[in-house]
Amino acid sequence: MTEQTNIPLNKDQQDISDNTAEAMMPISDSSDKHPHKEPSANKESLDKNSLDKKKLDKSLKRKKTVRKSVEKENNPNATDAPITPHPIFIEVSQRCLVATNQLKRYSKPSLLPADTRSAPDLDIGFGQQRALKALHTALDIHASGYHVFAAGENGLGKRTVISRLLSLIAADAPTPDDWVYVHNFTDPRTPLALRLPAGQAAVLQHQVNTLWQQAKKRLSQRFRSDQYQSKIEAIKNDTHQKESHAYDVLNAEGKQYDLALTFRPFDNKAVFVHPSQLATETSDMDDKEDKLSNSHKNNTLINDNKEAATASTDESDIKADNNAHVSEYETELNNFAQKNHMQKRLSQLTIALEQLEDEANDAIESLHRNIAKRALQPLFTPIYEQFSAQPLVVEYLKVVFADMVTHVERIVNGDDEEFVTALLATTPSRYAVNVISSHEPDSGAPVIFEDLPTHLNLLGHVEQITQLGTVTTDVSMIRAGALHRANGGYLLLEASHLLEHPYAWQGLKRALQSRKIKLSSLEQMLTLTGSLSLSPAPIDLNIKVILLGEADLYYELLELEPEFDAVFKVRADFHDDVVRTHEHELALVGKMADIIDYANLYPFDRRAQAALLEHLSLQAEDQDRLSLHSDLLIKLLHESNRHARLGGQDIVSAKHVVQAIEDMDERSGYLRDLYWDELKNGQQLIQTQGEAVGQVNALTVVSYADSEFGMPARLTAVIQPNIGTGEILDIERDVDLGGSLHAKGMLIMTSYLRALFSQHHALNFSASLAFEQSYAHIDGDSATVSEGCALLSALANVPINQSLAITGSMNQLGEVQAVGGINSKIAGFFDACREQELTGQQGVVIPMANVKQLMLRDDIITAVKAGSFHIYGVHTLSEALTLMTGLPVDTVNKKSRYRKETLFGKVLSRLMLWDENQNTDDDIDDKKSKKKAKKKRQAKRQKKEDKNKVSNKEKAIKEQLIKEDNDTIVEEVIIDEAR
């Protein structure tokens, strides 16, 4: 059933003849009652034709009467048309007219502080109690996965609110421990992580740096002292004496075999030779005396060899005289055996001398260690005592002490890179203390916001340097991430920024689930290479992470990331507006004062505060709501302050706020100005006066980036009678310029019209709807009422008042629903009317549900007060049609049929008229076909008669011929018999 308006009918309307109902009844075809019969005579055919002619004349007369009635009612220029508006139109327009005090809600300056300097203190949780409650719940639960996703629009100030709340909570929270990475002397590839009390990491680093500098200085002094040199000389002399004695004993043994011990000049190796060869070697050794003079051992051996050579010469002469008879072969054989024996003895001596040298080196090393221990022990003892409460630190320091003692020579010589201070460092990387996180004692928990949450910035990384083509790294190149800095506290991240960087979300999720921070090489993950890098020990993680993002992103993560809900179990919803009460207005003034103090702006007086509150209500698109968008408020405060400064004022007033709003509107109004230029030039066809059938001024909103403005759009409907069954072609949708919501509105409106008229008459038409001169994408169902008005106007052939523009959504029951952007839409049509001159008849028709959202401009309100512009609020489509057409829409008579003068009655009359036209055409076609069939039957009958006549004549002739033949035969028979 359609929505009925409970409007009492006057006497004249009640006395209207029920001929309207009769006219709306379908006209039956008399031929349906009397089926065609085959005429048996011309008289019957003439009687049938006479009857069809009478029926046709009666149908044409009836059609003429209906057409005349419809034309008389639809013709506004008829002489008998009413001059005064219809009573129902007057009653509906008075009931739907929106009062001036409903067009805007003003703030009372007298109830606000004199200026922002006397404003109340800022309430951190103002307007966001739901979100803060969720935050407190997550912070009070220390189980795994209780991290927070703060959902809300950008610009609400979520980060500021959360940061201030966390700062208050963190101030009373315990300060987390410090963490440092140090060299692992057992496995250098896996540096050790040490936990220290708050503030002790920097102390340990400073102590180790100082220790290194003092240790190197003291060791250098000790190893350059005369005492150290004398001890080293003593060890060397003792070793030299032992070596000389061993050589002397071996040389004496060689003399028994007529062999002399000497050193070869080219490699200084000890060998046994015959004394005859000693002279040549001696001369060569004299040439290189400067090389051998440094060794006392060599000089002694040379002198001994010279004496042995002289003696052996005398002895050899004697032996030569006495043993002349010995064969030369036996002499050579004996000499070889003796020389081989002594050479073995020399090899044994060499091994003994190497052992002796090792003992000397051990003695020197022992001396070095004893010196290092005596030098370093006084430096380490105070540090042991300072960190006695930290066993792991003391153990590490003892390992450092042992390593310094062990490598004291390399430290003093400074010829090893591991013991040389690197660039931009004060300590070799081997002994460096790399502070990963450090906190001041009793400073509370850290609150960190990471604006670039890459994988490296979140989890830390290990840097590398390239020297001479070699890539190296060490413990001092480990860099902390945001998780390290916020460990023990709170970390804030923008969710959209986090998802922009590869592996950042995976790394964060892994750390939160395992509760450990493990550094990994992102280069290896991306390139799949096996380059050598450090693998630092993981650090225990105790943190609360708060992700900031919009609600749509939260739902996408829930859908696409299965483990998201297990990690971020708490959702904190931030509202974008708040109820407009006096208490909330004062709280917003306190927020303004806080921003003003932070930015060092001029104070705002009470009228400026009222203007700001009214603009925030406009942004919320509701008289009873206030926008909480901090970005908009901050921008407005700064620009208002600028106008006050340029005007030489030290306090901001309402005119400065209004000027700032106008400037912001002008900056974003480039597209709007282009449209108005087209309207002025006549390129945009908008009619704000007169009447037109099937044409409506629809109200639309154009949104592009940060620019949004309202403008009227011409919506037209075209009817094609006798074609289709009520189909409505949505041109915007068919060319892919209409969105799904627009298509939904069209289908709802179509369903409503089908339910409205199909029960009374068949919908023997098709229609098309289009937004003229619209070439952009259209979406939303706010044009449903406009489309319904245009279509019904075209169906009824009733003009629509072009001085009115309309917007509104509609359901299948004909009820008008609220739409968005109502203030911009009204302002757009008002500007168009003002551009084409205000006549006092123009206005807009809006849903009554949108009246509470009106926050119109002051110039529009002034025009409404002066009667130059009107605003109507409607509940149903019938009220909207009454305002747009000036006619009653759906009043019915006693038989529950729409009255003739109503809009729906005119629609049904036209449907009937189209049906009459169709039936008349069918009757004419039937008559023609009957005449043609009759002629055909007559021709067939005549042909049959002619054929019968020919056939009878041929039969008579044939019978005559047969008779003649028979007579001839009889005569022949008689003649034969006679013969």
Side-chain angles (χ1 to χ4, degrees), residues 155-173:
L156 287 178
K158 301 187 295 293
R159 192 178 84 189
T160 302
V161 172
I162 295 175
S163 297
R164 291 190 175 187
L165 175 66
L166 294 180
S167 297
L168 294 177
I169 297 175
D172 299 329

Side-chain angles (χ1 to χ4, degrees), residues 309-374:
T310 304
S312 65
T313 302
D314 297 334
E315 292 176 0
S316 61
D317 294 335
I318 297 171
K319 289 181 180 181
D321 295 335
N322 295 330
N323 300 317
H325 58 278
V326 178
S327 67
E328 182 179 354
Y329 174 77
E330 292 178 353
T331 302
E332 291 180 358
L333 184 61
N334 291 333
N335 290 337
F336 176 79
Q338 294 169 0
K339 186 176 181 180
N340 188 30
H341 171 71
M342 292 306 300
Q343 198 66 36
K344 291 181 179 179
R345 292 282 295 139
L346 180 60
S347 298
Q348 295 174 357
L349 177 61
T350 301
I351 296 174
L353 292 179
E354 289 177 354
Q355 294 177 353
L356 183 62
E357 186 176 356
D358 292 339
E359 292 176 358
N361 291 332
D362 292 340
I364 293 175
E365 289 182 2
S366 178
L367 175 63
H368 290 170
R369 293 176 181 175
N370 292 333
I371 294 174
K373 288 180 180 180
R374 290 195 301 269

Side-chain angles (χ1 to χ4, degrees), residues 125-133 156 161 573-576 628:
F126 165 62
Q128 306 296 351
Q129 285 76 16
R130 184 195 303 272
L132 297 187
K133 185 177 180 180
L156 287 178
V161 172
D573 284 313
F574 280 76
H575 302 291
D576 54 357
L628 294 177

Side-chain angles (χ1 to χ4, degrees), residues 164-408:
R164 291 190 175 187
L165 175 66
L166 294 180
S167 297
L168 294 177
I169 297 175
D172 299 329
T175 306
D177 293 336
D178 294 349
W179 286 91
V180 298
Y181 273 115
V182 294
H183 181 73
N184 187 349
F185 296 96
T186 304
D187 184 6
R189 192 173 178 273
T190 58
L192 301 176
L194 299 179
R195 183 199 295 263
L196 294 93
Q200 294 299 303
V203 174
L204 177 62
Q205 185 185 50
H206 176 72
Q207 292 289 5
V208 171
N209 291 343
T210 304
L211 176 66
W212 162 255
Q213 295 173 1
Q214 293 179 350
K216 186 173 183 180
K217 181 179 179 181
R218 180 170 295 188
L219 290 175
S220 298
Q221 292 175 350
R222 295 292 177 88
F223 279 81
R224 290 189 180 93
S225 64
D226 295 338
Q227 183 180 5
Y228 167 76
Q229 295 295 337
S230 62
K231 291 182 178 179
I232 290 297
E233 192 67 26
I235 294 174
K236 290 182 178 180
N237 291 336
D238 182 60
T239 303
H240 174 68
Q241 291 177 1
K242 292 180 179 179
E243 289 179 351
S244 299
H245 178 69
Y247 277 118
D248 293 342
V249 173
L250 187 61
N251 189 31
E253 184 178 354
K255 291 179 180 180
Q256 299 175 4
Y257 302 104
D258 196 18
L259 292 174
L261 183 62
T262 184
F263 290 88
R264 292 187 302 195
F266 56 90
D267 59 358
N268 200 29
K269 181 178 180 181
V271 293
F272 280 97
V273 297
H274 193 271
S276 60
Q277 301 175 356
L278 196 59
T280 303
E281 293 179 3
T282 301
S283 62
D284 294 335
M285 293 175 64
D286 289 340
D287 295 337
K288 300 178 181 179
E289 186 177 357
D290 54 338
K291 296 182 180 179
L292 300 176
S293 61
N294 294 331
S295 175
H296 178 70
K297 174 188 65 176
N298 293 344
N299 293 335
T300 305
L301 289 176
I302 291 172
N303 294 331
D304 293 342
N305 289 336
K306 288 180 180 180
E307 295 176 356
T310 304
S312 65
T313 302
D314 297 334
E315 292 176 0
S316 61
D317 294 335
I318 297 171
K319 289 181 180 181
D321 295 335
N322 295 330
N323 300 317
H325 58 278
V326 178
S327 67
E328 182 179 354
Y329 174 77
E330 292 178 353
T331 302
E332 291 180 358
L333 184 61
N334 291 333
N335 290 337
F336 176 79
Q338 294 169 0
K339 186 176 181 180
N340 188 30
H341 171 71
M342 292 306 300
Q343 198 66 36
K344 291 181 179 179
R345 292 282 295 139
L346 180 60
S347 298
Q348 295 174 357
L349 177 61
T350 301
I351 296 174
L353 292 179
E354 289 177 354
Q355 294 177 353
L356 183 62
E357 186 176 356
D358 292 339
E359 292 176 358
N361 291 332
D362 292 340
I364 293 175
E365 289 182 2
S366 178
L367 175 63
H368 290 170
R369 293 176 181 175
N370 292 333
I371 294 174
K373 288 180 180 180
R374 290 195 301 269
L376 298 178
Q377 192 66 44
L379 300 178
F380 276 85
T381 300
I383 305 179
Y384 292 156
E385 296 175 357
Q386 184 176 0
F387 294 95
S388 59
Q390 307 297 322
L392 294 178
V393 176
V394 173
E395 182 180 353
Y396 164 71
L397 291 173
K398 289 181 178 179
V399 174
V400 172
F401 175 79
D403 188 76
M404 285 186 175
V405 170
T406 302
H407 302 94
V408 61

Side-chain angles (χ1 to χ4, degrees), residues 103 615 617-622 665 668 672 675-676 698-703 706-713 805 807 819-832 844 846 850 853-857 860 869 871:
L103 302 182
H615 189 71
S617 191
L618 171 63
Q619 296 301 315
E621 291 192 346
D622 199 321
D665 185 61
S668 61
R672 180 189 57 204
Y675 171 77
W676 293 127
L699 297 178
T700 62
V701 172
V702 177
S703 297
D706 62 341
S707 177
E708 179 178 300
F709 61 93
M711 70 177 202
T807 184
V819 295
I822 192 66
N823 294 286
S824 299
K825 292 178 178 179
I826 295 175
F829 187 68
F830 175 79
D831 292 337
V844 294
I846 64 173
N850 281 117
Q853 298 177 348
L854 293 179
M855 289 293 295
L856 298 179
R857 299 192 321 237
I860 301 177
F869 199 74
I871 298 176

Side-chain angles (χ1 to χ4, degrees), residues 409-473:
E409 299 94 339
R410 301 166 69 180
I411 294 174
V412 173
N413 294 334
D415 56 356
D416 195 325
E417 293 182 357
E418 292 187 17
F419 300 92
V420 176
T421 303
L423 184 64
L424 302 178
T426 58
T427 307
S429 60
R430 190 179 185 85
Y431 304 122
V433 176
N434 189 354
V435 177
I436 297 300
S437 63
S438 179
H439 311 281
E440 292 291 334
D442 301 325
S443 61
V447 179
I448 303 297
F449 172 74
E450 179 56 56
D451 60 345
L452 187 63
T454 63
H455 183 276
L456 302 181
N457 290 347
L458 279 177
L459 297 161
H461 62 286
V462 180
E463 293 180 342
Q464 295 178 337
I465 60 174
T466 303
Q467 293 180 342
L468 301 177
T470 302
V471 179
T472 60
T473 186

Side-chain angles (χ1 to χ4, degrees), residues 632 635-636 638-640 642-643 659-673 704 706-708:
L632 172 65
K635 183 166 62 173
L636 206 54
H638 278 276
E639 296 197 22
S640 301
R642 170 181 174 270
H643 286 294
Q659 193 171 359
I661 294 174
E662 292 176 352
D663 287 351
M664 294 166 61
D665 185 61
E666 181 182 5
R667 288 200 303 270
S668 61
Y670 174 70
L671 293 178
R672 180 189 57 204
D673 293 342
Y704 181 77
D706 62 341
S707 177
E708 179 178 300

